[in-house]
Amino acid sequence: MHTGSVTTPFGRRPMTLALVRRQTASADIKPGKVVDKWKVFRDASAAIDLLGIQSNSLAVLDALLTFHPDNELRQDAQLVVFPSNAQLCLRAHSMAGATLRRHLAVLVDAGLIVRKDSANGKRYARKDGKGEIECAYGFDLSPLLARSEELAFLAQQVMADRAALRKAKESLTICRRDVRKLITAAMEEGAEGDWQEIEDMYVSLVGRIPRVAVLERTAEILDEMQMLREEVINRLEIQDVSAATSTNDAHIEQHKQNSNTKSIYELEPCSRDEKGEKPSLVRQPSNALLKAFPLCIVLKACPQIVDYGDGGMIENWRGLMKAAVVVRSVLGISPSAYQDACEIMGPENAASAVACILERATMITSAGGYLRDLTKRAARGEFSLGPMIMALIKANGQEGLLAG
């Protein structure tokens, strides 16, 4: 039966405080605890990368477990095995002696086994008068019993990460296919727009895909690829809307003035008599409004606007639109310019545009004039936020936007 006493290693092997902690933890096992040794081994195998061990180390651990007579590791049982190196080498698939000793040390360092050395460093068991093992010296398997829950958790984490990576890779493959074919169709059919710029963005993203897939990196590239797909679809949809409305210009001309005197886009009064105020823009039908990017992506591209949110936080689109009104005033954008942007682009995109302008305020001479120019281009179906947001994310605060 395992006593839980702390023992120091034989010979030149040093004693460390980490070894003391591991031996102490091995003694602190819940009374009556029982686990299947092969289940623990499978969990350790799944968590091999997190434990910092190699496949040969697992082969040695497998061999050690075969010397334990029972299929279960029990708190009240003898958990010290004492095979010779020759026997261990045989059961570890004829592993070389030097390799065996190296991987035994790896298992000890990983906290999966503990050495319990005798006075002369030999491995053996001493039995009592009844033939029961009274004391054994060799390798203590108690850490496997003590850490069974931890190893199970690590194995589940590894499996969850693998599933997430597999899903991300599948989604990235589908998204790549969509973007590639949409760009090709737009170029072949002569759709308006700078499709070479979109092509360059796509090639750049594909070139960043790592040879060895990693979850965080794959997820990051997937987010940007999805943004690019949304941008391509948005441009194509804008052209469809423009084509559908181009034959009905006269009807649109009759609706130049905004009949809604209580705008939901501005949180303060709007004056049309400001100095230098230009005539109102032609309003697009509501179904022609630009699609809004996910809020989390906008905030990733434009982190400065968060400082203008309530309590220094922006948790939803309403919060971003309120912050944009404050920023509008700070940047000197007139209420009417902002309301025009809201009515042409949609309130979410107008707030996003103000956030982008704030991010590059030092590079823009007139924020109000810049917003009006963007609004005019959006009214003609020649502007979308995608390239601006993607450029801000890519630049990470190091490249400026070109004004006007």
Side-chain angles (χ1 to χ4, degrees):
M1 178 177 176
H2 176 64
T3 61
S5 60
V6 175
T7 61
T8 57
F10 173 79
R12 295 183 179 181
R13 292 191 295 269
M15 185 63 180
T16 64
L17 295 180
L19 287 175
V20 175
R21 286 193 293 270
R22 292 187 192 117
Q23 293 187 39
T24 303
S26 298
D28 187 21
I29 301 176
K30 182 180 178 181
K33 184 176 182 180
V34 180
V35 296
D36 186 317
K37 67 179 182 181
W38 299 119
K39 181 183 183 304
V40 178
F41 178 75
R42 288 193 297 271
D43 291 339
S45 300
I48 184 173
D49 293 332
L50 299 179
L51 293 172
I53 61 178
Q54 303 172 0
S55 57
N56 280 344
S57 302
L58 288 176
V60 175
L61 181 60
D62 177 58
L64 287 172
L65 288 172
T66 63
F67 285 98
H68 182 67
D70 300 324
N71 285 330
E72 295 178 335
L73 301 178
R74 307 177 63 89
Q75 180 270 338
D76 56 355
Q78 169 61 252
L79 296 180
V80 176
V81 294
F82 39 92
S84 65
N85 280 357
Q87 290 297 317
L88 265 178
C89 287
L90 287 176
R91 296 200 187 184
H93 313 293
S94 298
M95 184 179 292
T99 305
L100 173 72
R101 289 189 292 272
R102 184 170 68 254
H103 288 287
L104 283 171
V106 169
L107 292 174
V108 172
D109 291 339
L112 297 177
I113 61 174
V114 172
R115 294 182 187 272
K116 187 177 181 183
D117 290 342
S118 64
N120 60 4
K122 301 295 183 179
R123 300 172 201 150
Y124 60 89
R126 182 180 294 113
K127 298 183 179 181
D128 58 18
K130 298 180 180 180
E132 299 291 337
I133 295 179
E134 181 180 35
C135 185
Y137 297 97
F139 298 104
D140 191 350
L141 303 177
S142 296
L144 293 174
L145 178 61
R147 299 179 63 185
S148 60
E149 292 87 354
E150 177 191 351
L151 294 174
F153 175 78
L154 292 177
Q156 292 174 2
Q157 179 181 341
V158 169
M159 298 306 293
D161 288 345
R162 288 177 182 173
L165 177 59
R166 183 169 60 253
K167 182 178 179 180
K169 288 171 63 178
E170 291 174 353
S171 299
L172 180 58
T173 299
I174 294 172
C175 195
R176 280 183 61 184
R177 181 187 66 200
D178 292 345
V179 174
R180 175 67 275 169
K181 292 194 173 184
L182 287 171
I183 293 175
T184 301
M187 288 181 169
E188 290 180 350
E189 298 182 21
E192 296 182 2
D194 188 357
W195 293 105
Q196 187 58 50
E197 178 187 4
I198 298 295
E199 171 89 6
D200 293 341
M201 291 181 182
Y202 171 78
V203 172
S204 176
L205 275 179
V206 172
R208 289 165 49 198
I209 299 176
R211 291 181 179 271
V212 179
V214 180
L215 178 58
E216 292 183 0
R217 185 66 173 165
T218 303
E220 178 183 347
I221 295 176
L222 174 60
D223 287 342
E224 295 188 35
M225 189 67 73
Q226 288 174 336
M227 286 175 55
L228 185 59
R229 180 175 61 184
E230 290 296 324
E231 170 62 18
V232 172
I233 294 174
N234 193 37
R235 288 192 178 195
L236 295 176
E237 288 182 347
I238 288 174
Q239 293 191 30
D240 290 341
V241 171
S242 298
T245 57
S246 60
T247 58
N248 201 18
D249 288 340
H251 174 74
I252 297 176
E253 280 293 326
Q254 298 173 6
H255 296 82
K256 284 186 178 181
Q257 300 300 325
N258 181 13
S259 61
N260 183 7
T261 58
K262 295 183 180 180
S263 172
I264 63 171
Y265 305 135
E266 184 62 66
L267 302 181
E268 56 183 276
C270 171
S271 172
R272 292 284 178 180
D273 299 326
E274 293 179 278
K275 184 179 180 180
E277 186 70 24
K278 298 180 180 181
S280 59
L281 297 171
V282 176
R283 312 299 183 209
Q284 291 192 23
S286 60
N287 60 358
L289 295 178
L290 304 179
K291 288 186 177 180
F293 280 86
L295 178 62
C296 61
I297 295 179
V298 175
L299 296 180
K300 180 180 178 181
C302 311
Q304 292 186 38
I305 198 168
V306 176
D307 296 335
Y308 296 88
D310 291 339
M313 297 175 59
I314 294 179
E315 298 179 343
N316 49 44
W317 280 112
R318 181 64 176 173
L320 179 64
M321 288 185 280
K322 291 178 65 177
V325 172
V326 177
V327 172
R328 175 204 65 71
S329 178
V330 171
L331 296 177
I333 300 173
S334 67
S336 60
Y338 183 59
Q339 183 165 329
D340 283 343
C342 288
E343 294 172 354
I344 296 298
M345 302 181 188
E348 294 87 355
N349 283 305
S352 300
V354 171
C356 292
I357 294 173
L358 173 65
E359 204 68 23
R360 291 292 178 267
T362 57
M363 308 295 294
I364 298 174
T365 304
S366 172
Y370 187 42
L371 181 61
R372 285 194 178 279
D373 181 65
L374 296 181
T375 303
K376 290 179 181 178
R377 290 162 57 189
R380 297 194 300 265
E382 299 174 355
F383 168 74
S384 87
L385 282 167
M388 183 182 295
I389 292 177
M390 292 187 67
L392 286 172
I393 293 176
K394 183 177 180 181
N396 195 23
Q398 296 180 3
E399 299 179 5
L401 290 174
L402 296 177

